[in-house]
Amino acid sequence: MSHLTDHQLAALKNALEERRQELEQHFKDNDEENSLLGESLRVSTGELSTVDNHPADAGTETFERSRDLGINNALRDELEDIEAALQRMEEGTYGICVISKEEIPYERLEAIPYTPYAVEHVPGRESADERPVEEQVMTPPPSGAGQTRQEHSGRFDDADAWDSVEDYGSASSPVPLPGHDSDDQDS
């Protein structure tokens, strides 16, 4: 920890302890042990039956629960990382990359006080040169696909829909009745 001054170390420890308290309060407020996230969908929604509900309602509820569980898992991981960082402070190894044993710059620790890695050694970092695996199985679009494909096909495309219907007016403009001129309505 020789590269960190006592003032820097105290500031980082204070930041870690504050964040730990915030996370502990989150879990206390949400009382994970008694929360409905682990219960069945029927129990957590309070519905006796889902028969009268639209399937999208169940989908929305499932999405919301999945999102909440994901957030709680990420926050739980962050809390564990904070505990590990505080433990490294006690052991005197805080601020040293666990892989390269190099000093982690103060600016990085200030941004992510619980990180045990220097930027170069963060696990799971992908190179910007790597492409998604899906691209290996994608086929190129057929010839003529794109901006002008509908012009040459002779079929109606919703991209030109407004041009086709604007003569009939809109909900905010008066529409003349068939067989009547707009001048006849004024008299």
Side-chain angles (χ1 to χ4, degrees):
M1 286 191 294
S2 60
H3 72 290
L4 298 174
T5 66
D6 290 340
H7 178 70
Q8 290 173 330
L9 192 57
L12 292 168
K13 185 173 185 174
N14 187 42
L16 286 167
E17 288 174 345
E18 282 181 22
R19 183 63 179 154
R20 177 175 62 179
Q21 288 176 352
E22 290 172 10
L23 293 173
E24 287 173 346
Q25 188 64 42
H26 166 79
F27 289 118
K28 182 181 176 187
D29 291 346
N30 292 314
D31 193 14
E32 253 190 49
E33 306 304 321
N34 297 321
S35 80
L36 298 176
L37 286 176
E39 298 291 331
S40 72
L41 187 59
R42 184 174 53 161
V43 171
S44 69
T45 61
E47 296 283 338
L48 297 177
S49 171
T50 57
V51 173
D52 62 339
N53 290 343
H54 190 279
D57 293 337
T60 300
E61 184 64 30
T62 301
F63 166 77
E64 294 289 337
R65 290 176 60 180
S66 174
R67 186 196 61 195
D68 291 345
L69 287 170
I71 289 171
N72 280 348
N73 286 340
L75 293 177
R76 192 175 301 106
D77 290 346
E78 183 181 350
L79 183 59
E80 289 173 7
D81 290 344
I82 289 171
E83 296 290 346
L86 290 170
Q87 182 63 37
R88 287 192 304 277
M89 279 185 175
E90 296 295 321
E91 295 169 353
T93 59
Y94 179 79
I96 305 297
C97 178
V98 295
I99 293 178
S100 67
K101 306 301 182 209
E102 297 172 0
E103 295 176 345
I104 301 171
Y106 175 71
E107 293 78 15
R108 175 161 171 76
L109 292 171
E110 195 174 34
I112 311 171
Y114 52 83
T115 188
Y117 304 105
V119 173
E120 306 82 35
H121 300 105
V122 174
R125 287 188 57 186
E126 295 182 13
S127 169
D129 297 333
E130 294 181 19
R131 301 298 304 168
V133 70
E134 292 85 0
E135 289 184 0
Q136 296 173 10
V137 295
M138 290 174 57
T139 57
S143 64
Q147 196 79 2
T148 61
R149 78 177 193 281
Q150 292 297 330
E151 290 176 20
H152 303 295
S153 71
R155 290 181 280 152
F156 182 76
D157 184 3
D158 64 345
D160 296 322
W162 178 251
D163 295 335
S164 301
V165 299
E166 71 179 323
D167 294 336
Y168 297 100
S170 66
S172 60
S173 66
V175 180
L177 296 174
H180 293 78
D181 291 335
S182 59
D183 297 334
D184 293 343
Q185 291 179 0
D186 293 337
S187 29

